[in-house]
């Protein structure tokens, strides 16, 4: 009986060792997974609420440059708008009338993001380019009431998601291109020496029927991308 008892105890110890080893592996895996997730989220949110990126290959090939100061044309492939910690809903009528002339770079105001930058053609040929504003992340459906105002060389267009109840476009707005892309436009005949000026304004429209208490605490992250061509993922079968 004593020998039998020893054998049973040894089996229990071995089983316990296996459980501990298995548990350690799970803990290490979860730690590595959470660490990877942390770095992914850090990259996603590093740029704040709004960023502008220029395809480096397109820039190298065409001579297109991106900068946010007309007096200091330091070219960059990525621009970062200054984020807001809190944004309350407002009316488009409350926005300053001189947003497009106010300043270069970031010039946020109460409850809106405003960013002015430039695209220049320092190449030797006339080209076309696409610009699209992507909706990278949305929390609590805040995109239902967001407005993306784009000044392109002084011409203003306000983009918004269609009304969630009627599926009709909101008053005095151009509908978002899709759920993932707010704006998609092509700039044609961009000649050598030309400079395009953009001012992007982002705010919550209080008169939007979808601007309800349920979106309080929501967040949105947008990116404007400038590329040589647009690939329609739906047509590509994705």
């Amino acid at each position: 009986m004593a020998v039998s008892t020893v054998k049973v105890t040894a089996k229990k110890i071995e089983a316990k060792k296996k459980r501990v080893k298995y548990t350690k592996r799970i803990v290490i895996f979860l730690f590595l997974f959470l660490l990877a997730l942390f770095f992914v989220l850090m990259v996603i949110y590093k740029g704040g609420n709004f960023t502008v990126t220029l395809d480096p290959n397109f820039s190298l090939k065409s001579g297109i440059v991106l900068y946010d100061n007309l007096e200091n044309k330091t070219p960059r492939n990525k621009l970062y708008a200054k984020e807001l910690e809190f944004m309350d809903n407002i009316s488009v009528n409350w926005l300053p009338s001189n947003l497009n002339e106010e300043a270069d770079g970031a010039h946020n105001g109460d409850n809106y993001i405003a960013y002015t930058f430039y695209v220049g053609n320092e190449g030797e040929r006339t080209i076309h380019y696409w610009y699209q504003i992507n909706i990278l992340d949305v929390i609590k459906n805040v995109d239902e009431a967001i407005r993306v105002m784009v000044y392109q060389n002084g011409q203003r267009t306000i983009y918004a998601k269609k009304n969630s109840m009627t599926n009709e476009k909101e008053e005095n707005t151009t509908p978002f291109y899709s759920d993932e892309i707010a704006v998609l436009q092509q700039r044609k005949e961009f000649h050598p020496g030309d400079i395009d000026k953009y001012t992007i304004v982002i705010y919550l429209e209080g008169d939007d029927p979808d601007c309800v208490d349920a979106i309080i605490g929501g967040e949105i992250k947008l990116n404007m991308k400038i590329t040589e061509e647009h690939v329609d993922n739906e047509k590509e079968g994705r």
Side-chain angles (χ1 to χ4, degrees):
M1 291 298 293
V3 174
S4 177
T5 303
V6 171
K7 288 182 178 180
V8 172
T9 303
K11 289 181 180 179
K12 288 183 178 180
I13 292 174
E14 184 64 25
K16 184 177 181 180
K17 286 182 178 179
K18 289 182 178 180
R19 287 197 301 270
V20 170
K21 187 177 180 180
Y22 181 69
T23 302
K24 285 182 177 179
R25 288 180 178 177
I26 293 177
V27 171
I28 292 172
F29 172 78
L30 289 175
F31 173 76
L32 293 175
F33 173 76
L34 291 173
L35 187 64
L37 181 62
F38 169 77
F39 281 112
V40 169
L41 292 175
M42 185 174 68
V43 170
I44 290 175
Y45 285 97
K46 180 182 177 183
N49 301 105
F50 181 69
T51 56
V52 186
T53 57
L54 173 64
D55 183 345
N57 293 325
F58 178 42
S59 175
L60 185 64
K61 180 173 65 175
S62 65
I64 293 296
V65 295
L66 187 68
Y67 49 91
D68 63 3
N69 190 315
L70 197 57
E71 301 300 322
N72 181 18
K73 299 178 182 178
T74 302
R76 287 182 284 171
N77 287 331
K78 192 164 189 176
L79 302 172
Y80 298 88
K82 189 176 181 180
E83 63 181 337
L84 288 180
E85 292 185 4
F86 175 79
M87 181 185 291
D88 200 355
N89 66 85
I90 58 175
S91 167
V92 64
N93 300 316
W94 300 359
L95 293 170
S97 60
N98 65 334
L99 281 171
N100 189 50
E101 296 82 24
E102 188 175 46
D104 288 347
H107 47 105
N108 300 344
D110 290 338
N111 300 308
Y112 67 86
I113 291 171
Y115 191 74
T116 297
F117 66 95
Y118 302 87
V119 180
N121 185 351
E122 296 186 356
E124 298 180 351
R125 62 188 180 91
T126 298
I127 62 168
H128 312 312
Y129 70 82
W130 288 88
Y131 62 94
Q132 67 183 65
I133 298 180
N134 302 303
I135 303 171
L136 302 182
D137 190 43
V138 176
I139 297 176
K140 300 185 73 171
N141 297 322
V142 73
D143 58 327
E144 297 289 349
I146 208 76
R147 293 291 186 271
V148 180
M149 180 186 293
V150 178
Y151 286 90
Q152 183 192 33
N153 298 324
Q155 297 296 315
R156 189 186 80 169
T157 306
I158 302 176
Y159 297 87
K161 199 170 183 179
K162 289 183 179 180
N163 186 288
S164 63
M165 300 293 292
T166 66
N167 201 35
E168 298 292 332
K169 72 174 186 176
E170 299 292 354
E171 186 178 1
N172 299 321
T173 70
T174 297
F176 284 175
Y177 179 78
S178 69
D179 288 341
E180 294 78 28
I181 301 175
V183 181
L184 177 63
Q185 296 291 340
Q186 185 182 37
R187 167 56 157 108
K188 295 184 177 180
E189 302 297 326
F190 194 43
H191 301 284
D194 283 353
I195 298 175
D196 282 346
K197 178 180 180 180
Y198 290 91
T199 295
I200 311 298
V201 184
I202 302 166
Y203 65 98
L204 278 171
E205 178 53 68
D207 291 331
D208 190 312
D210 291 310
C211 189
V212 295
D213 289 347
I215 68 172
I216 292 175
E219 296 180 22
I220 190 168
K221 182 177 175 63
L222 304 167
N223 165 258
M224 183 169 178
K225 189 173 183 180
I226 297 171
T227 59
E228 182 177 14
E229 59 183 339
H230 166 67
V231 178
D232 191 329
N233 292 333
E234 292 182 0
K235 292 181 179 179
E236 292 296 316
R238 289 182 58 185

